[in-house]
Amino acid sequence: MHDPRLTPARGDIAAKYLEGMVQAERFVTGEEFEVIEPIAPLREQPSSSAMLMTQALRGERVTIYDRNSEGWAWGQLASDGYVGWLPDAALARPVAASTHKVSALRTFAFPGPSIKLPPSDTLAMGSRVTVTREDGTFAITREGQYLPKTHLATLDHREPDFVAVAERFVDTPYLWGGKSSLGIDCSGLVQVSLTAAGIGCPRDSDMQQQGLGWALASHETNKLQRGDLIFWKGHVAIVRDGSTMVHANAHHMATVIEAIKPAIVRIKQTGSEVVAIKRLG
């Protein structure tokens, strides 16, 4: 069975590369677009009230296979292969390749070379921009926005410790499908942090459990190391050390650091046991 979250196929239309693998009335090649909004919602259905599946950030590429008359476009993200509906207004034809990414938790884009100007945008960590020139402490993008140079890194920059990246999100509000410091979920925290460290990572916790690292016995909580991932059904946490972990969770409605053993007990009381512990590298 093809995972619908990663397979651009419906009964009426599907991606050309899936021809012969899925059933559809027609197959289309699709067109590449770029996300131009700071954060674009990718939803399950073409409606602003539909469930948020994930988010796409400024500069992300997406292949669009279908669009409707209500302003929604259906496609697949280039970064992690996620499929869903994006607002058409958040997309534009790519003009130039990105040169830099936002390395701060979030940064302001200013209309000119002064921090006293009202910001025109707020960009999240992982957003991609095309820098055309510099002016003092600012990098100037293709669109003419001024970003603090200290908040940017080149696309090949790798954070040395993905756990330290996750720790920077402490106190971020919990948001199902969220992928930024304005709101993030458990698997989004893992994905954003690993991506910042140059490690490819699927979007959802079940995909991460299946695709990342190698398994320890799920009872071996006395052997945990920094960077291990603890999985429950529908949830994942990042180990900081032998006794604490960081995770975005709906119990606290935030990203928090907490002791592992009491958290395992609390989560077990809701009916969920640890299903896997994965070690990366």
Side-chain angles (χ1 to χ4, degrees):
M1 284 290 292
H2 296 281
D3 188 335
R5 297 170 294 177
L6 301 173
T7 311
R10 311 190 313 240
D12 59 332
I13 192 171
K16 185 79 172 173
Y17 74 84
L18 293 170
E19 198 162 8
M21 292 184 277
V22 301
Q23 297 288 320
E25 293 173 14
R26 62 190 177 101
F27 293 86
V28 296
T29 303
E31 299 175 277
E32 188 180 49
F33 285 81
E34 180 179 343
V35 175
I36 56 172
E37 291 293 320
I39 300 175
L42 185 142
R43 299 192 182 276
E44 190 175 32
Q45 300 294 334
S47 165
S48 57
S49 61
M51 186 169 76
L52 181 67
M53 305 291 283
T54 187
Q55 293 174 321
L57 305 178
R58 164 79 60 84
E60 189 160 359
R61 298 296 174 93
V62 54
T63 303
I64 296 301
Y65 297 101
D66 188 27
R67 41 175 40 91
N68 68 16
S69 58
E70 280 79 53
W72 291 89
W74 182 73
Q76 183 170 34
L77 301 181
S79 60
D80 59 16
Y82 221 98
V83 175
W85 291 89
L86 292 154
D88 226 340
L91 305 173
R93 298 276 188 185
V95 176
S98 303
T99 60
H100 290 72
K101 60 187 177 183
V102 175
S103 54
L105 271 185
R106 54 191 176 274
T107 191
F108 292 119
F110 297 95
S114 170
I115 60 171
K116 296 181 181 179
L117 294 169
S120 50
D121 274 327
T122 304
L123 301 184
M125 176 187 285
S127 300
R128 291 172 170 240
V129 296
T130 304
V131 174
T132 55
R133 60 191 178 93
E134 296 183 354
D135 182 352
T137 60
F138 291 99
I140 305 169
T141 69
R142 185 185 73 228
E143 299 82 13
Q145 293 186 318
Y146 287 69
L147 300 172
K149 286 196 295 188
T150 56
H151 289 177
L152 299 179
T154 55
L155 293 182
D156 60 359
H157 174 76
R158 303 287 181 263
E159 293 288 342
D161 179 3
F162 87 91
V163 184
V165 177
E167 290 168 340
R168 291 165 61 189
F169 283 85
V170 166
D171 293 334
T172 295
Y174 180 84
L175 175 67
W176 180 276
K179 263 179 64 172
S180 83
S181 63
L182 299 175
I184 202 162
D185 66 12
C186 65
S187 54
L189 180 67
V190 171
Q191 187 186 49
V192 168
S193 303
L194 283 174
T195 300
I199 301 168
C201 179
R203 176 60 179 92
D204 292 344
S205 61
D206 62 323
M207 301 174 185
Q208 293 168 356
Q209 181 186 333
Q210 184 178 4
L212 294 175
W214 50 279
L216 304 178
S218 57
H219 64 274
E220 291 186 304
T221 53
N222 59 327
K223 298 181 181 178
L224 292 172
Q225 296 178 6
R226 184 174 178 86
D228 288 348
L229 301 176
I230 305 175
F231 290 92
W232 294 259
K233 183 175 172 56
H235 187 60
V236 60
I238 303 167
V239 174
R240 296 176 65 245
D241 52 41
S243 62
T244 63
M245 65 186 196
V246 56
H247 62 146
N249 68 93
H251 176 78
H252 297 94
M253 285 306 292
T255 297
V256 300
I257 291 170
E258 65 175 321
I260 292 170
K261 288 184 177 177
I264 288 175
V265 171
R266 185 189 77 243
I267 296 169
K268 185 176 181 178
Q269 288 171 346
T270 68
S272 190
E273 299 263 8
V274 172
V275 294
I277 299 172
K278 301 297 285 285
R279 180 159 294 168
L280 309 182

